[in-house]
Amino acid sequence: MIGKTRRWIVGALAALGLASAPALAAAPAPVAPLVLAAASLQESLTEAADAWAKRGHPRPVISFAASSALARQVAAGAPADLFLSADEDWMDDLAKRGLIVPATRADFVGNALVVVAPAGTATRIDFRSPRALSAALGQGPLAMADPDSVPAGRYGKAALVKLGAWDAVAAKVVRAENVRAALALVERGAAPFGIVYATDAQASAKVRVVGVFPPASHPPIRYPLARLKASTNPEAEGFRRFLLSPAARAIFARHGFGRA
């Protein structure tokens, strides 16, 4: 009797195991989060995503563009999980619309603003003299991200206004869709000078820095990140926290970013 009971229990457990096997096999795999990020983060964020994937997570899918364009996409209902902006204004805009999770917002890196020229250029720009600055840049064209909407362009215009050079160069400005497009114009020799972030200059062997804007000439360059309210991907919060970790900060520091 005992033997029959034992065989019945073993059989029942085996049947239960077989019945539950399909359910276990059908458990969904983690889905990669979709990240919308400022164009200037291209190399650094790509490396951070690779580092996150090496920890056993699905590698984040990243879309790089001007912060202004990405913020408008979010406002229009584009599905995404994280937003990384090159300035606070566009993050503020999404916050006012109720499109981010406020508690997840954080400034994670900072940057500097520079003037670049093709690598063979020997020019140096003296920012102490408005006339020297406008004389150099006024030869034009001057490549920069759109100063009406793109963060790098806004910072650049603010600096030129502060230094008294904007009126002299405004007519010769070539407005690019983002900071990397402005960099590309200088790389190709289509513009003798361009205003970009220090990290963009570091990422290119085709340009050299010919001047660094004084930090006081423009608003502080801070990059905020936040999880979007529409996100339902649990991987998004993990990656957001990783970007704020010492390991990720070391990656961004190697690419020239400073503290926010």
Side-chain angles (χ1 to χ4, degrees):
M1 188 67 164
I2 295 176
K4 290 183 179 180
T5 302
R6 182 178 297 169
R7 286 195 296 273
W8 181 87
I9 293 174
V10 171
L13 289 174
L16 181 60
L18 290 173
S20 62
L24 292 173
V31 177
L34 176 58
V35 181
L36 305 181
S40 50
L41 293 167
Q42 188 168 331
E43 292 79 14
S44 54
L45 189 58
T46 295
E47 185 176 337
D50 290 340
W52 180 243
K54 287 179 181 178
R55 297 187 174 202
H57 299 274
R59 188 187 183 284
V61 176
I62 309 172
S63 176
F64 294 103
S67 301
S68 52
L70 296 173
R72 291 183 183 120
Q73 290 176 23
V74 174
D81 298 294
L82 296 177
F83 176 49
L84 284 67
S85 176
D87 75 352
E88 297 177 293
D89 289 347
W90 284 110
M91 188 66 80
D92 289 342
D93 180 72
L94 294 186
K96 290 175 183 177
R97 296 170 184 264
L99 297 176
I100 68 169
V101 179
T104 67
R105 178 173 175 171
D107 292 334
F108 73 111
V109 291
N111 216 332
L113 197 67
V114 302
V115 177
V116 293
T121 304
T123 303
R124 292 294 300 176
I125 295 178
D126 184 0
F127 284 90
R128 296 171 298 179
S129 169
R131 288 187 177 181
L133 177 61
S134 59
L137 300 182
Q139 296 171 8
L142 172 64
M144 60 189 297
D146 189 344
D148 290 336
S149 59
V150 182
R154 286 177 171 176
Y155 292 128
K157 180 179 179 180
L160 292 171
V161 169
K162 179 76 171 180
L163 297 172
W166 175 252
D167 290 341
V169 304
K172 297 182 180 179
V173 168
V174 176
R175 299 174 177 232
E177 63 180 353
N178 59 57
V179 70
R180 285 305 174 93
L183 178 69
L185 289 172
V186 181
E187 289 177 324
R188 297 197 302 264
F193 297 104
I195 297 177
V196 300
Y197 296 122
T199 53
D200 299 307
Q202 180 175 317
S204 175
K206 298 180 180 180
V207 303
R208 65 182 294 268
V209 174
V210 297
V212 180
F213 283 99
S217 67
H218 55 78
I221 302 175
R222 299 191 183 102
Y223 287 63
L225 79 159
R227 195 173 79 245
L228 298 174
K229 186 168 284 187
S231 173
T232 59
N233 189 336
E235 283 287 322
E237 179 60 16
F239 186 53
R240 185 193 73 86
R241 295 189 180 192
F242 173 70
L243 292 175
L244 297 172
S245 71
R249 290 189 186 280
I251 292 173
F252 288 101
R254 286 199 297 273
H255 288 274
F257 289 93
R259 288 277 183 174

